[in-house]
Amino acid sequence: MLSGAEGALYGAGGGLVVEAVVTFGRLHTWQQARHASRVAGDVLPKLGAYIDPPADSLAALFRVVLGCAAGWLLHGELGGMLAAVAVGASAPAVLAQMGSATTVTEALQLGPTPGTAAEATGAVVPDPAAQPSALAAPGASAVPAAPAGQASPSPASGEAIP
């Protein structure tokens, strides 16, 4: 388990790694555009068309801060340095997921959403068009066999097998 400072430091490092990869992608795109322009005999594109230092620096700063925050918030759950770097690298998604989590109280107040009752119970509605073929070999089962290594699904209680 990591301390809060270690989680924050490694998380910030994860955010920095992601920002380095994003910056490399922009530099690579600029390089490819320069090669294409050179071959075509066109004017070479400027680096400023692909990298905007003020905006990119601010985005990098926030990515590092979010990585730091995620590493600090989750330091008790992280088992090592690589886990903290991974949390820092995925900090925007992790923090957004944590922010949108529904509590039990909220879920009970909202109640079931319309149209999800069949999905929640796992009920299977038989397809009337999918009747057993009259051309099936004698003695062949009308229910298709499960692929090798997979168990065939068992019906839920009170559910009829089509």
Side-chain angles (χ1 to χ4, degrees):
M1 191 170 326
L2 299 174
S3 71
E6 288 173 325
L9 180 66
Y10 294 137
L16 192 59
V17 166
V18 171
E19 192 57 39
V21 170
V22 168
T23 302
F24 172 76
R26 291 183 184 137
L27 287 172
H28 183 69
T29 304
W30 172 65
Q31 177 192 28
Q32 296 299 323
R34 284 184 59 92
H35 286 297
S37 294
R38 188 176 301 267
V39 168
D42 294 337
V43 176
L44 298 177
K46 302 288 183 194
L47 180 60
Y50 293 87
I51 294 180
D52 181 15
D56 293 343
S57 298
L58 188 61
L61 175 68
F62 273 91
R63 190 178 304 263
V64 169
V65 168
L66 285 174
C68 180
W72 179 74
L73 284 171
L74 299 172
H75 75 275
E77 303 296 322
L78 302 174
M81 178 188 72
L82 290 178
V85 170
V87 164
S90 60
V94 168
L95 294 175
Q97 183 68 30
M98 288 175 65
S100 67
T102 304
T103 64
V104 174
T105 305
E106 290 171 346
L108 291 175
Q109 289 173 351
L110 293 176
T113 54
T116 60
E119 295 170 5
T121 61
V124 177
V125 179
D127 182 10
Q131 296 298 323
S133 173
L135 302 175
S141 173
V143 178
Q150 292 182 350
S152 60
S154 60
S157 63
E159 197 176 314
I161 298 176

